[in-house]
Every structure is written in C-alpha cells, then in structure tokens.
Amino acid sequence: MIIYLFSHDGTITMATYNSIKELTRGLQQGAKLLNDMFLKRKTVAIRYDDALETLDGDENRLQHLISYGVIEQSGDTLELDDIYQRFFEEVLAVNEDINIALVQTYISKLKLDMDSYLAAESQQRRSMLLREVRHTFKSIENATRRNVVDLKRNVDDTYKQEHNFKIKELRLRDFDEKARLIHELTEQTEKVIKEQVIFFSNAMDIGLKQTVREVQEGLRDAAHGLIAISQQIIEYLNRIEYQSRLVKKVRQLKYLRDQFMIEQATNVNEVMAQTNDVWMERQPKYVTRVSLDFLRNDDAALDILSNIRRRLSNKTAVKSRLGGKIATKFLTGQIETLRAFNHQELLNGFLAQGTDLFNYVWHYPFTETVDDELRLVLFLQLASQYPERLRYTAETDMIRNIEYPVIYPR
C-alpha cells in the first residue's frame, strides 16, 4: 500500500527525497529489485510477492520504494515509475524516445536568458544570467548529441528486430521525421547565435566564446550524423519495399499452389527446371533436443539412454604418446671453458704506466695466446667503458698498418 502524507489543509502529498544522499541511499537499498524490474520493464509484470522475495522478504524496503514513488503499485503488480525509468534509460543510453521537445525548451530558455541579461542592471544578476546562458548552450549540445545517438540506435534496432513490415516502415518514417525536426532545431540554435548580435557584443567573454565555439562544432557533427541517418533510413525503406513485394509474390504463388492453379497460371515449372543455384549446398540437419521431463518420466527415454551409453562405450581410449629414451650423450657431464678478461685489472695496470692505451693492450703479456683481433676488441672495450678515467687526444699512431687514436690516462 502506498503511504501518503496529509497536510493540515487536507491535501494529499507523496513522500519525496530531500537530498541526493537520501535518494542514493534509498535506491541502494532496493538496487537488486530495481535492476530486476528495469531488465524486465518491457516483458514481464513484476508481482508484489516476487518483488518481496527479491528483497529477501524485507517488506520495509519495498514499502519505502513505493511510498517515495520510485515504484508504482497497481493491484498486485509493480512497475517502475516513469520518471525513474526514463532516467535509467537515458543514463544507460538505451532509451527509445527521442526527446525533441526538450531541445525546443532549451532554445526558448536561451532566448529568455539573453533578453533578461540585456535588461538586467546589476552586474551580479548579469553574471548569474551569463552562467545560465553557457549552461543552456551546453545542454542544447548534449541533448542534440544524445538524440542523434539514440536515433541511430533505434533506426538500426527497428530494421533488424521488428518482424512486421508495416510496423517497421511506419516507425522508420517516424524516425525520418524526427531526424528532420532535430536538424531544424540545430538550425534554430545557429540562428539564435547569429541574430543575438547585441547580446554577444555586450556579454562575449572568453568562457562564453569557447562555449559557443564548442556548441557550433557539436551541432555540425550532429548535422553530419543526421545526414547519414537519413540516408540509412532511405536505404532501409527501399529494402522493406523490395522485401514486401517479394513476400506478396510468394503469397500469391502459395495461393495458386493451394488452389492447384499454379501450373496453369504461371510458368513456375519451366523456371524451376532452369534454376539450380544451391546444388552444392549441403542438406541441412536439424537436431531436436530431448527435454529433461521426458528423460525423467517417460519409459521411452530408456532406449535413448541405452543407445547413448552404447555409443560412448564403443569409443576407443586415446593413448598418450610417450617420448623416446633420452640419449646417453645428453646425460653425461660436459665442461665448456670460456675465456674472460678482467677489464678493471687491465685498466689499473694501464693507469700505473706511461704508454698509450693501444700500445699497452697490444704488448700486454697475457697468460694465454691472444690474437691481434682480440687485442683490438679489448682496446675498444676499455676505451668505451671508462671515459671518465681516460684522456682522448687528436693524435693517431700506427702499429702493423693499424691506425689507432692515442689515449692516455688522466
């Protein structure tokens, strides 16, 4: 039962939320039920007992949502209030209604705020009205963008989901009319911007200028989107017309066949004899699934279960493939010797003497045999790893036709 509040004069008022915090807390308490009702808003009527079970039997939470108008009760059934349903649909971008009147209201409010700004005398009042103008401009842009997005989605859904050709055509023509109206509203907004010369000459600040520029760009994008939507609607209508003619012809042929007049009234046998478009197509196979109730309660299901068991038992088990034996040569230990040079030790020896780096590395007495190429690599490694401890000169020298830069210690 809905709870109403009675004032002293006898009028009836419904309980309302007084703050955002109170509203969000109330919606959170019934979030599970609200989600279920929103998902089933167009298919299933929610009964009071089912809603109570969804809320784990907490009738106080259910009555709270009813008393505050979030849920409407009609007899034993419940449904979301229209305001909250439209709010959820708009926030989740699944609404089917294109709210053109809202944009028209914004345009009227925009003109009123501009005229009020010119008539206002105090600077504080003008600043307040200027903020309202900027806010209304953004509202027009956002509402127009949302309408274009919703219109595009509804056009596609209608063509793909609606099975009745006549209803599909009527709805698409209605969407085409709404696209025309949205385009007219964008032109009205542009007209307001062009005609309000006095207002913009007096009130054009940096914030308003940026807002107007963003709104104009958004309206141009919306206009381009409307052109694409109109072209898509025309294409869909042409397809519907073609499909309607095709269905009409098929129905006429079916009527003639049912009346045994098709061979006399048409040349269908001659046409079909010359047509063999799907001769390579496989024959379709339709699988009929057996219900659980049939398997549990019908004796005929025993034959089906026995057949399935016999087919499963005949399947041969696939044996896992084992890898071969690992060769002995891979199991024996092998030692690989790697030569490594202590660069720091070489650098310390170089810093303790007076010759250049290349000459030092070239004549260094290594314990093992080191060829010329490896000595050259060691020189390059030392020269690149320790630049802060070496002094590079512009001089060069030669050893065995090898020209090298002269590098000394710092």
Side-chain angles (χ1 to χ4, degrees):
M1 180 180 296
I2 302 178
I3 301 175
Y4 293 97
L5 303 177
F6 294 86
S7 59
H8 295 290
D9 57 359
T11 59
I12 302 176
T13 59
M14 183 179 295
T16 57
Y17 293 109
N18 298 319
S19 65
I20 298 296
K21 182 178 181 180
E22 186 179 353
L23 171 62
T24 54
R25 183 171 61 247
L27 296 180
Q28 180 61 33
Q29 291 177 356
K32 187 176 181 181
L33 175 61
L34 295 177
N35 179 70
D36 187 48
M37 295 182 68
F38 183 76
L39 295 177
K40 300 176 180 178
R41 64 191 184 280
K42 295 182 179 180
T43 56
V44 180
I46 305 298
R47 301 181 63 83
Y48 187 92
D49 294 338
D50 296 334
L52 190 61
E53 183 179 354
T54 303
L55 293 177
D56 301 326
D58 192 342
E59 191 168 5
N60 291 330
R61 285 193 291 171
L62 180 58
Q63 286 297 328
H64 174 85
L65 296 173
I66 296 175
S67 62
Y68 278 82
V70 181
I71 295 176
E72 294 182 355
Q73 182 177 7
S74 177
D76 193 38
T77 60
L78 304 176
E79 62 181 9
L80 280 175
D81 182 74
D82 184 61
I83 295 177
Y84 287 93
Q85 179 172 322
R86 283 190 284 108
F87 170 72
F88 295 150
E89 288 177 344
E90 289 183 3
V91 171
L92 299 175
V94 294
N95 53 314
E96 294 184 354
D97 297 330
I98 311 301
N99 199 342
I100 300 176
L102 180 62
V103 180
Q104 184 65 61
T105 303
Y106 283 142
I107 295 177
S108 301
K109 184 178 184 301
L110 183 63
K111 295 179 180 179
L112 176 62
D113 290 338
M114 289 181 174
D115 295 338
S116 301
Y117 176 87
L118 296 175
E121 297 179 355
S122 65
Q123 186 61 33
Q124 181 180 2
R125 180 61 175 166
R126 284 193 167 194
S127 300
M128 185 182 302
L129 289 171
L130 190 60
R131 286 195 299 271
E132 288 293 327
V133 169
R134 288 200 297 265
H135 179 72
T136 306
F137 265 125
K138 295 301 294 182
S139 298
I140 291 175
E141 180 195 4
N142 293 333
T144 303
R145 285 179 179 272
R146 177 60 62 85
N147 284 338
V148 172
V149 172
D150 293 341
L151 185 62
K152 170 63 175 174
R153 186 186 64 253
N154 291 334
V155 167
D156 293 337
D157 291 345
T158 299
Y159 179 77
K160 296 175 182 178
Q161 303 297 333
E162 180 59 53
H163 301 291
N164 188 299
F165 284 168
K166 188 62 177 178
I167 297 177
K168 184 183 297 188
E169 181 181 3
L170 290 174
R171 289 181 62 84
L172 288 177
R173 294 191 182 279
D174 179 68
F175 289 144
D176 189 35
E177 177 64 18
K178 288 181 178 178
R180 185 186 65 80
L181 294 176
I182 295 174
H183 182 70
E184 289 183 358
L185 292 176
T186 59
E187 292 182 343
Q188 289 184 24
T189 306
E190 292 283 355
K191 186 177 180 181
V192 170
I193 296 175
K194 294 179 180 179
E195 291 180 349
Q196 292 290 339
V197 179
I198 299 177
F199 169 79
F200 286 111
S201 61
N202 287 273
M204 182 62 77
D205 60 356
I206 297 177
L208 181 59
K209 185 177 181 179
Q210 181 179 357
T211 300
V212 172
R213 183 170 60 252
E214 292 176 354
V215 170
Q216 288 177 325
E217 291 177 357
L219 293 180
R220 282 195 293 270
D221 293 341
H224 294 160
L226 290 173
I227 294 174
I229 292 174
S230 298
Q231 294 175 348
Q232 188 68 59
I233 291 175
I234 293 174
E235 181 181 353
Y236 284 161
L237 290 175
N238 291 334
R239 292 182 186 178
I240 292 173
E241 183 179 359
Y242 168 76
Q243 293 169 355
S244 299
R245 293 198 305 266
L246 186 62
V247 170
K248 184 177 180 180
K249 291 181 179 179
V250 171
R251 288 176 177 173
Q252 291 175 349
L253 290 175
K254 183 178 183 303
Y255 171 78
L256 293 174
R257 189 197 65 179
D258 294 341
Q259 298 297 322
F260 301 100
M261 299 168 54
I262 189 171
E263 296 180 357
Q264 291 76 20
T266 66
N267 60 340
V268 62
N269 290 335
E270 179 182 351
V271 173
M272 295 300 295
Q274 299 175 358
T275 303
N276 195 21
D277 295 335
V278 293
W279 64 275
M280 293 184 65
E281 185 176 347
R282 294 182 179 180
Q283 184 177 0
K285 297 181 180 179
Y286 303 98
V287 179
T288 303
R289 302 185 183 278
V290 182
S291 65
L292 294 178
D293 293 337
F294 173 77
L295 294 175
R296 292 171 181 167
N297 304 322
D298 202 313
D299 294 337
L302 295 176
D303 296 334
I304 297 176
L305 296 176
S306 299
N307 186 23
I308 294 174
R309 182 179 180 182
R310 183 171 59 255
R311 291 170 59 184
L312 292 176
S313 61
N314 292 335
K315 290 185 177 181
T316 58
V318 179
K319 295 183 179 180
S320 59
R321 297 180 180 179
L322 300 179
K325 185 178 180 181
I326 300 176
T328 307
K329 64 178 181 178
F330 294 111
L331 300 177
T332 58
Q334 297 180 358
I335 299 176
E336 183 178 357
T337 303
L338 297 177
R339 289 194 301 174
F341 298 92
N342 191 336
H343 292 177
Q344 186 63 45
E345 183 178 349
L346 288 172
L347 179 66
N348 293 336
F350 167 67
L351 297 176
Q353 51 83 50
T355 185
D356 63 89
L357 180 61
F358 188 84
N359 211 342
Y360 170 78
V361 175
W362 194 262
H363 298 95
Y364 188 85
F366 293 101
T367 57
E368 298 180 2
T369 303
V370 178
D371 56 11
D372 295 347
E373 183 178 357
L374 186 53
R375 290 178 184 270
L376 181 59
V377 171
L378 286 172
F379 165 74
L380 295 175
Q381 291 177 346
L382 292 174
S384 61
Q385 290 180 7
Y386 304 98
E388 70 281 355
R389 308 189 67 178
L390 301 175
R391 179 170 60 88
Y392 303 91
T393 67
E395 303 176 9
T396 59
D397 203 346
M398 296 282 293
I399 292 181
R400 295 186 185 176
N401 296 328
I402 300 176
E403 185 177 5
Y404 65 89
V406 178
I407 303 174
Y408 294 105
R410 284 187 182 271

